[in-house]
Amino acid sequence: MNNPRITLLGSHDRKLQQWLSSHPYGHERGAIVLFRKLGRDVADLPGSDRFLAVDIIPLTEEWVLESSPTHLRINMRLLPEVFFRCEKENLEFGFVHGHPPAALGFSPKDDINELNILHGLSGCNGTCSFLVAMVLSDGHWLARVRQGRSPRDVISARHICVLSDKIELHGIVMPDEPDEILKRQEAAFGTPFNSKLQSLRAAVVGAGGTGSPVATLLARAGVGELIIIDGDDLDKTNLNRVRGYRTADAGKKKALLLKTFIDSLELNVSVSAIDQFLDDAKALDALSTADVIFGCTDDVAGRNLMNQALYYHAQLLIDCGLTGRVDTSVDGTPFLRDHRGRVSCILPEAGACLRCQRVVTDEKLAYEDAVKKRPELAKLDPITLKRDYYLIGGGEQAPGVGPFTSATADNAVATFMDLIRPYRQLSADLRQDNIWIDFVHMTIHSNQPVDNSDCVYCRTHDMLLRPEGKYRLEIPRLGEINVPK
């Protein structure tokens, strides 16, 4: 087992911080956290389980046998009921407690307590069970994982990722020597910014005009693991706006080509290339393992899946796209009437989802599906499509102009950096979750989302941390999940 990653929603983090630090006499407190484990393999990347916190059980008075400012002893006889819930709901058990300020670390007493808990957990649920142990001290988290089959083997968490309206990364291990390539980046954002990036796994869906610059920027910025997902071949018409490809590469898989290019840079990044579209089981399984997703595809169905995945899997989604229109002057000369780039930044508990931003709509999905079945429909104008086929869509595609696709990609990565080390000061008329760059008028603006209080994604949160059950994202056509525990 390689170093696992722990994910807490901002609401979980706030609840735990408040509970663990608010004993009326300053005594140590504890809580049980139940986790869902995502441990799907990705080619060319080391195994790294993601543990997503789904529920918190504060250890109130009936649990506590003894406590003081430096110790906590709980009633172990109450644990089997929680163990049974873990088995029934396919969850992993976590034990969390507080330490005094300046005491961030695990003590010998913690070792004894964890072994005792794991012994009982393994006896009830089997030796494949995991125990996630977390310590909070002065607002900072540290975590480690044990498994029943080898209880004395302790694996430190790669990071504890807290997702609110930004990304907080705790428990980061600093390198012995700073990376020479990233010294200026560290000068801009401080320590341990580079080490935080190194701890992350990012997925880039789409390897074209925005995806290829996003992927190469992430690699150069120091992101530790990168997944590139794209089932398309490189077309010669792509070459005016992509990174890492040559004319001789036309006709080959973009994902594989981009991996080869990034590997050739000899940076400190591990790259996996998935040469399938996102509705493929291999691609979706890889996507679920990422901490952050960059949506760089031009298909609405793919965006719809990413929009759903971010809530099920507790991930950051940064989706980018372009729109525009070419017009013709009176003398027949073409000119850009409109050309804009969009960056949508959505976290599980912050930001309007892609449906509420109208990036994904049922009408767009229906049009896209119809064109796949009958490609000739793409040549029809919107009026004919609506009148004769009851479809909303059509018209010219956004012009593929290299500086504009690259600028949109740059802004997507800059948005990502701002979430880890905030530096932006947005004006009151701009929204973090929706920023448009108008390349014709050189303005920046945000669109207001649909005010849909019933949205199951970003308003009611019915999809938040929802178990997938038998099928990926609970969608039968995406195939059954078959991952050994």
Side-chain angles (χ1 to χ4, degrees):
M1 180 174 63
N2 284 283
N3 294 69
R5 292 162 288 150
I6 315 296
T7 299
L8 301 176
L9 297 179
S11 57
H12 291 151
D13 176 65
R14 290 189 294 272
K15 184 175 181 179
L16 285 169
Q17 297 248 12
Q18 195 279 330
W19 169 252
L20 296 177
S21 62
S22 63
H23 192 283
Y25 303 111
H27 287 195
E28 191 173 296
R29 272 182 162 174
I32 293 169
V33 180
L34 302 183
F35 292 92
R36 180 169 298 116
K37 182 175 75 72
L38 291 175
R40 300 164 193 178
D41 292 333
V42 181
D44 299 317
L45 296 185
S48 175
D49 293 334
R50 291 185 68 221
F51 290 87
L52 315 179
V54 299
D55 196 14
I56 295 168
I57 305 171
L59 297 182
T60 49
E61 289 183 4
E62 67 268 22
W63 283 88
V64 179
L65 298 177
E66 292 180 19
S67 69
S68 76
T70 57
H71 91 288
L72 173 70
R73 189 162 72 90
I74 66 170
N75 186 352
M76 302 281 284
R77 294 181 178 180
L78 299 179
L79 288 175
E81 184 177 347
V82 184
F83 296 161
F84 176 69
R85 181 183 169 190
C86 288
E87 184 177 30
K88 183 174 67 173
E89 299 180 21
N90 195 26
L91 300 173
E92 305 295 346
F93 185 90
F95 180 72
V96 180
H97 66 291
H99 273 192
L104 183 61
F106 291 95
S107 68
K109 182 63 176 175
D110 293 332
D111 288 328
I112 296 171
N113 291 339
E114 289 171 25
L115 288 171
N116 288 336
I117 292 172
L118 190 55
H119 177 74
L121 177 63
S122 299
C124 290
N125 295 6
T127 58
C128 288
S129 301
F130 290 86
L131 169 65
V132 179
M134 297 178 62
V135 170
L136 176 71
S137 178
D138 201 22
H140 298 284
W141 290 107
L142 195 65
R144 62 188 187 182
V145 176
R146 300 175 189 258
Q147 191 176 17
R149 63 179 55 167
S150 52
R152 295 192 178 276
D153 292 342
V154 179
I155 309 297
S156 297
R158 186 192 299 185
H159 64 229
I160 301 94
C161 179
V162 178
L163 298 174
S164 56
D165 59 347
K166 57 183 181 296
I167 300 176
E168 295 179 33
L169 293 165
H170 300 253
I172 301 298
V173 177
M174 298 294 294
D176 295 330
E177 296 290 336
D179 192 325
E180 287 289 326
I181 297 173
L182 300 174
K183 276 191 171 181
R184 290 195 176 187
Q185 184 168 280
E186 187 173 89
F189 296 114
T191 303
F193 180 81
N194 291 340
S195 297
K196 289 180 177 180
L197 292 187
Q198 183 64 32
S199 80
L200 292 169
R201 177 178 291 186
V204 180
V205 182
T210 52
S212 60
V214 162
T216 53
L217 283 167
L218 292 174
R220 293 183 186 280
V223 168
E225 294 173 357
L226 193 59
I227 302 168
I228 303 169
I229 300 172
D230 196 322
D232 258 337
D233 298 334
L234 180 70
D235 192 277
K236 280 190 176 181
T237 61
N238 303 145
L239 289 170
N240 72 314
R241 58 190 183 277
V242 291
R243 307 273 179 89
Y245 305 126
R246 305 166 302 166
T247 301
D249 294 327
K252 300 175 184 176
K253 293 291 186 183
K254 287 192 283 190
L256 301 176
L257 291 168
L258 192 53
K259 169 181 165 54
T260 300
F261 172 72
I262 294 174
D263 285 344
S264 74
L265 300 176
E266 298 184 351
L267 301 167
N268 190 20
V269 56
S270 300
V271 186
S272 174
I274 312 294
D275 59 343
Q276 303 290 336
F277 294 108
L278 194 56
D279 58 359
D280 176 79
K282 184 179 177 182
L284 276 172
D285 286 348
L287 189 79
S288 73
T289 73
D291 303 300
V292 53
I293 302 168
F294 287 85
C296 302
T297 179
D298 58 3
D299 73 298
V300 185
R303 287 193 172 111
N304 194 40
L305 289 176
M306 287 184 279
N307 189 67
Q308 189 157 331
L310 88 91
Y311 295 100
Y312 276 74
H313 301 148
Q315 296 163 307
L316 160 69
L317 172 62
I318 297 178
D319 185 75
C320 52
L322 292 100
T323 186
R325 185 164 65 91
V326 177
D327 213 336
T328 306
S329 63
V330 292
D331 63 357
T333 304
F335 70 96
L336 281 176
R337 172 73 69 181
D338 174 41
H339 205 351
R340 288 167 289 140
R342 171 189 53 81
V343 174
S344 298
C345 173
I346 311 162
L347 292 113
E349 295 183 310
C353 72
L354 291 182
R355 282 185 168 270
C356 287
Q357 292 189 35
R358 297 180 292 274
V359 174
V360 174
T361 66
D362 290 336
E363 292 82 6
K364 290 179 181 179
L365 288 167
Y367 169 74
E368 185 175 271
D369 187 57
V371 169
K372 285 181 180 178
K373 296 173 182 175
R374 299 181 59 185
E376 68 273 13
L377 294 178
K379 300 178 181 179
L380 299 180
D381 62 274
I383 295 174
T384 304
L385 282 167
K386 186 174 182 180
R387 183 190 65 220
D388 297 344
Y389 298 94
Y390 306 102
L391 294 172
I392 305 298
E396 291 187 68
Q397 291 184 329
V401 181
F404 304 149
T405 55
S406 293
T408 305
D410 289 343
N411 192 39
V413 177
T415 298
F416 166 59
M417 290 181 167
D418 179 62
L419 292 173
I420 297 172
R421 174 61 170 85
Y423 63 89
R424 285 179 171 171
Q425 299 181 23
L426 297 180
S427 60
D429 60 336
L430 291 179
R431 299 173 54 94
Q432 176 179 262
D433 61 353
N434 178 280
I435 292 180
W436 287 85
I437 307 170
D438 186 328
F439 297 112
V440 174
H441 301 96
M442 287 309 298
T443 59
I444 300 176
H445 69 278
S446 295
N447 290 342
Q448 289 296 318
V450 174
D451 185 17
N452 178 13
S453 60
D454 295 325
C455 177
V456 296
Y457 298 104
C458 61
R459 298 297 288 275
T460 68
H461 285 150
D462 289 350
M463 299 297 179
L464 188 55
L465 292 171
R466 182 165 166 153
E468 292 177 281
K470 184 177 181 180
Y471 301 105
R472 293 174 180 85
L473 299 177
E474 295 188 286
I475 301 174
R477 67 176 175 82
L478 299 178
E480 293 186 16
I481 300 171
N482 184 25
V483 180
K485 187 173 180 181

